């Protein structure tokens, strides 16, 4: 709205500037009476007004425009984080980030700037046409008749440019995906001596992107050249017409100046219309890509359902197959009771369904058949996003975020005190944090750069413990620990019998501490 108001004021000043120039020239050439100095002062005031509007436009773009972009990014990211887990991601994270950055920026700029500009262009055309019509109605009508031709050309142009732009954006996403993966896994690349292979692959993708950009540029330049030739021809015709009228004495010098400015003011909207075409193409392409992200349905929303501990998990005749491979059953007719206050080890070969089982307990996946319920002495309810408040989950691998240890721990409990954080670190055998120069405020890069894998794992366990939930799932969460540290950690975790613990593990030392074990065996495409 602010950009539209500024644009309309700019249109008013543009038309006013035509009038002030015409008046100053006519006064100077003695066609009308008046003070030349005052006429120039009016011109200066109009020019100063345009400077003020330029400043306002820049301020609105950089202040409110950035806020609008940030707000849309938060909205899109919020949808992604609250959407249903798809099991097997069909979209690369680099592509998703590319959409959240470039496509969001394109859509916001279109809504906040391009649409207001289109309103200004239309108003400029109407105002300039009326002014020009008052000077020469025949030429004004001739110029307006050209507009349907421009609209037809624009329609053809938009269709082709939309296809070319979509190809460029998809290729750009592939480049960003490769860059992201290469940086994230640079240690793997180095140890496999795959630097040249990655660079060669990036070169191939860059060449493909370059070809698509060149193809789009050729089409754009050719179209722009045709439009420019048309506008230049129209301006020459208008100049010739005005010169003949000036020679015949039917047009003053100031009128000639106004005449040429107005022809330009009428042509500018037509040129702006053709320039808007690529922006329409870009926003359509960007909007389509963002709508794909929004097509993923949201998880069931609602108030959390906390249960008093100890809690158990009842898996009853559960069968699961991923939607894209319905014939390949991952889990079939599985039943097991993770009893309240017990410690259970879930073991099995790769592909036996351990991860799938955990995802069903976390309500990330829904069983095709059967049910997964969480229960205590008072309730027995199906797991859902609203029951995750009862579960501590420690994924396998290093899941530390960049930032300080304090910021990582606060992800488990934003209101945790320093004493609570240190207690959780001690329980997780991460008391080495106490000896760090900056303690809880020690800063690390992504994935805890500077820490060992074992240290990072223990901080991640401490982060989870701050949730104070009655049920805890550890997915190979001690894989990087030595035996002595692992035993000490297990003793600390199992002291509190009010918590039900599920270990996904291959380590024998963990089995020795568990009350029960669930063996998942892979038989052909089934799990028993």
């Amino acid at each position: 709205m602010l950009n539209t108001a500024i644009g309309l004021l700019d249109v008013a000043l543009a038309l006013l500037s035509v009038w002030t120039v015409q008046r100053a020239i006519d006064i100077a050439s003695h066609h009308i009476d008046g003070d030349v100095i005052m006429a120039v002062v009016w011109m200066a005031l109009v020019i100063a007004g345009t400077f003020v509007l330029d400043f306002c436009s820049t301020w609105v773009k950089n202040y409110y425009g950035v806020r609008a972009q940030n707000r849309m990014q938060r909205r899109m990211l919020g949808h992604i984080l609250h959407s249903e887990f798809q099991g097997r991601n069909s979209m690369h994270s680099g592509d998703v980030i590319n959409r959240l950055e470039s496509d969001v920026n394109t859509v916001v700029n279109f809504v906040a700037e391009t649409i207001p500009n289109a309103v200004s262009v239309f108003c400029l055309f109407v105002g300039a046409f009326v002014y020009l019509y008052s000077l020469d109605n025949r030429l004004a009508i001739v110029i307006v008749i050209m507009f349907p031709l421009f609209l037809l050309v624009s329609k053809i142009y938009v269709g082709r440019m939309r296809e070319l732009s979509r190809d460029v954006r998809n290729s750009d996403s592939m480049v960003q995906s490769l860059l992201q993966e290469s940086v994230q896994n640079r240690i793997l690349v180095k140890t496999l001596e795959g630097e040249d292979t990655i660079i060669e692959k990036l070169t191939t993708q860059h060449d493909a992107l370059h070809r698509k950009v060149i193809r789009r540029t050729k089409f754009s330049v050719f179209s722009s050249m045709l439009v420019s030739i048309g506008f230049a021809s129209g301006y020459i015709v208008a100049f010739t017409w005005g010169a003949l009228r000036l020679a015949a004495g039917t047009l003053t010098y100031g009128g000639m100046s106004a005449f040429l400015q107005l022809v330009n003011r009428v042509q500018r909207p037509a040129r702006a219309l053709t320039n808007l075409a690529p922006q329409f193409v870009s926003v359509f392409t960007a909007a389509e890509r963002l709508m794909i992200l929004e097509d993923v349905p949201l998880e069931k929303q609602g108030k959390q359902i906390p249960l008093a501990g100890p809690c158990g998990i009842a898996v009853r005749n559960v069968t699961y197959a991923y939607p894209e491979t319905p014939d390949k059953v991952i889990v079939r007719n599985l039943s097991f009771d993770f009893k309240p206050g017990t410690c259970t080890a879930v073991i099995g070969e790769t592909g036996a369904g351990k991860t799938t089982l955990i995802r069903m307990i976390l309500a990330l996946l829904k069983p095709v058949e059967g049910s997964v319920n969480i229960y205590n002495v008072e309730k027995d309810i199906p797991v859902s996003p609203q029951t995750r408040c009862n579960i501590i989950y420690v994924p396998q691998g290093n899941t530390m975020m960049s930032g300080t240890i304090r910021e990582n721990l606060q992800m488990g409990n934003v209101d945790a005190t320093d004493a609570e954080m240190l207690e959780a670190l001690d329980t997780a055998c991460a008391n080495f944090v106490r000896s760090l120069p900056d303690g809880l405020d020690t800063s690390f890069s992504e994935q805890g750069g500077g820490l060992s894998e074992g240290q990072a794992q223990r901080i991640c366990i401490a982060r989870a413990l701050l949730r104070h939930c009655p049920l805890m799932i550890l997915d190979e969460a001690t894989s990087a620990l030595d035996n002595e540290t692992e035993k000490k950690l297990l003793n600390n975790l199992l002291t509190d019998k009010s918590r039900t613990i599920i270990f996904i593990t291959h380590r024998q030392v963990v089995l020795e501490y568990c009350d029960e074990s669930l063996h998942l065996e892979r038989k052909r495409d089934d799990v028993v």
Side-chain angles (χ1 to χ4, degrees):
M1 292 177 65
L2 287 170
N3 279 334
T4 302
I6 291 172
L8 294 177
L9 288 174
D10 187 56
V11 169
L13 287 181
L15 296 176
L16 187 60
S17 68
V18 174
W19 177 79
T20 57
V21 171
Q22 177 185 0
R23 184 170 180 273
I25 292 175
D26 283 344
I27 290 174
S29 59
H30 304 294
H31 282 285
I32 61 175
D33 296 329
D35 187 342
V36 174
I37 300 300
M38 286 303 301
V40 173
V41 168
W42 275 106
M43 288 176 56
L45 290 174
V46 172
I47 293 173
T50 60
F51 289 158
V52 172
L53 287 181
D54 286 342
F55 171 79
C56 293
S57 178
T58 302
W59 177 260
V60 169
K61 178 179 179 180
N62 289 278
Y63 183 75
Y64 291 103
V66 171
R67 288 180 61 185
Q69 181 175 334
N70 292 344
R71 186 164 57 248
M72 187 172 183
Q73 274 188 343
R74 290 195 298 271
R75 173 176 173 270
M76 294 300 304
L77 180 60
H79 182 93
I80 292 172
L81 296 179
H82 287 99
S83 62
E84 290 184 355
F85 182 71
Q86 296 299 294
R88 297 170 181 172
N89 294 326
S90 60
M91 199 175 298
H92 194 284
S93 58
D95 183 24
V96 174
I97 292 172
N98 187 281
R99 295 174 192 232
L100 290 177
E101 292 179 348
S102 299
D103 293 331
V104 164
N105 182 55
T106 299
V107 170
V108 170
N109 284 342
F110 179 81
V111 174
E113 297 181 27
T114 304
I115 291 179
N117 287 343
V119 173
S120 301
V121 163
F122 176 75
C123 292
L124 177 62
F125 168 75
V126 173
F129 172 77
V130 172
Y131 200 153
L132 181 61
Y133 189 87
S134 66
L135 294 176
D136 193 311
N137 56 3
R138 289 172 295 177
L139 182 59
I141 292 173
V142 168
I143 291 177
V144 170
I145 290 175
M146 297 170 61
F147 262 80
L149 177 62
F150 284 120
L151 291 175
L152 177 62
V153 172
S154 295
K155 184 177 181 180
I156 299 172
Y157 174 85
V158 165
R160 179 58 179 158
M161 274 297 289
R162 189 173 179 181
E163 177 184 343
L164 295 173
S165 294
R166 188 184 299 113
D167 290 343
V168 170
R169 295 294 299 120
N170 290 339
S171 187
D172 186 51
S173 287
M174 292 179 64
V175 169
Q176 180 158 341
S177 298
L178 178 59
L179 290 173
Q180 179 178 322
E181 279 194 349
S182 301
V183 172
Q184 286 180 337
N185 300 290
R186 56 190 179 278
I187 295 178
L188 175 65
V189 173
K190 290 176 72 67
T191 55
L192 293 176
E193 297 183 293
E195 296 94 331
D196 293 339
T197 302
I198 293 296
I199 296 301
E200 183 178 347
K201 187 175 181 180
L202 182 61
T203 300
T204 301
Q205 292 191 0
H206 275 161
D207 290 342
L209 174 60
H210 183 258
R211 287 193 299 271
K212 292 175 181 178
V213 169
I214 292 299
R215 191 182 306 131
R216 184 181 66 177
T217 303
K218 285 181 178 179
F219 181 77
S220 178
V221 168
F222 177 74
S223 303
S224 178
M225 183 179 65
L226 291 180
V227 171
S228 297
I229 290 174
F231 281 125
S233 301
Y235 190 82
I236 290 173
V237 170
F239 182 87
T240 303
W241 194 323
L244 292 173
R245 285 196 55 188
L246 184 64
T250 59
L251 191 66
T252 66
Y253 289 108
M256 178 65 176
S257 172
F259 188 77
L260 295 178
Q261 289 184 75
L262 288 169
V263 169
N264 183 51
R265 292 290 196 275
V266 172
Q267 280 193 330
R268 271 178 56 191
R271 181 180 290 273
L273 180 64
T274 59
N275 290 336
L276 283 174
Q279 297 179 51
F280 275 100
V281 171
S282 296
V283 77
F284 288 149
T285 304
E288 286 175 345
R289 286 162 54 85
L290 291 176
M291 284 189 288
I292 291 174
L293 297 181
E294 287 199 320
D295 282 343
V296 180
L298 291 173
E299 284 186 328
K300 179 183 177 183
Q301 304 298 305
K303 189 177 180 180
Q304 294 180 340
I305 308 174
L307 275 68
C311 293
I313 293 288
V315 180
R316 297 163 182 157
N317 299 316
V318 164
T319 297
Y320 185 82
Y322 286 96
E324 60 270 23
T325 55
D327 296 332
K328 186 178 181 180
V329 178
I330 305 300
V331 175
R332 184 187 294 279
N333 297 330
L334 175 63
S335 295
F336 193 85
D337 189 4
F338 297 92
K339 298 181 180 65
T342 62
C343 177
T344 305
V346 180
I347 58 177
E349 62 179 312
T350 301
K354 300 186 299 297
T355 300
T356 301
L357 173 61
I358 296 306
R359 289 174 176 174
M360 287 191 287
I361 293 175
L362 291 168
L364 296 171
L365 300 177
K366 298 177 181 178
V368 177
E369 297 177 6
S371 64
V372 180
N373 283 26
I374 185 170
Y375 67 91
N376 62 7
V377 294
E378 299 175 350
K379 293 182 179 180
D380 186 335
I381 58 176
V383 295
S384 68
Q386 287 70 51
T387 63
R388 285 188 202 135
C389 60
N390 301 289
I391 302 175
I392 301 170
Y393 175 55
V394 185
Q396 59 182 316
N398 182 342
T399 57
M400 281 193 67
M401 308 284 280
S402 59
T404 65
I405 294 176
R406 183 190 303 277
E407 290 169 340
N408 270 272
L409 295 176
Q410 285 176 335
M411 291 183 66
N413 181 359
V414 70
D415 297 319
T417 64
D418 284 11
E420 289 173 325
M421 292 182 192
L422 292 172
E423 181 183 356
L425 289 167
D426 289 341
T427 303
C429 296
N431 46 353
F432 65 87
V433 172
R434 293 177 179 271
S435 61
L436 296 175
D438 295 325
L440 292 172
D441 294 313
T442 302
S443 182
F444 297 101
S445 58
E446 59 183 329
Q447 294 189 316
L451 293 173
S452 69
E453 286 293 307
Q455 288 175 322
Q457 277 191 339
R458 282 177 277 168
I459 292 175
C460 292
I461 292 173
R463 177 178 62 194
L465 289 173
L466 287 169
R467 282 174 58 81
H468 301 297
C469 298
L471 198 148
M472 185 174 191
I473 302 174
L474 296 102
D475 189 356
E476 299 285 3
T478 61
S479 59
L481 304 185
D482 60 83
N483 287 338
E484 183 179 346
T485 303
E486 185 174 35
K487 289 179 180 179
K488 185 177 180 181
L489 173 62
L490 292 173
N491 280 321
N492 292 345
L493 293 178
L494 297 174
T495 299
D496 184 4
K497 290 296 182 180
S498 66
R499 182 182 291 132
T500 304
I501 299 180
I502 302 174
F503 281 104
I504 308 297
T505 185
H506 291 92
R507 295 168 70 90
Q508 185 63 36
V509 66
V510 176
L511 292 175
E512 295 172 359
Y513 280 83
C514 293
D515 304 311
E516 300 184 58
S517 62
L518 170 62
H519 294 256
L520 298 180
E521 296 179 1
R522 184 176 182 181
K523 292 184 178 180
R524 298 176 184 172
D525 292 333
D526 299 344
V527 173
V528 179

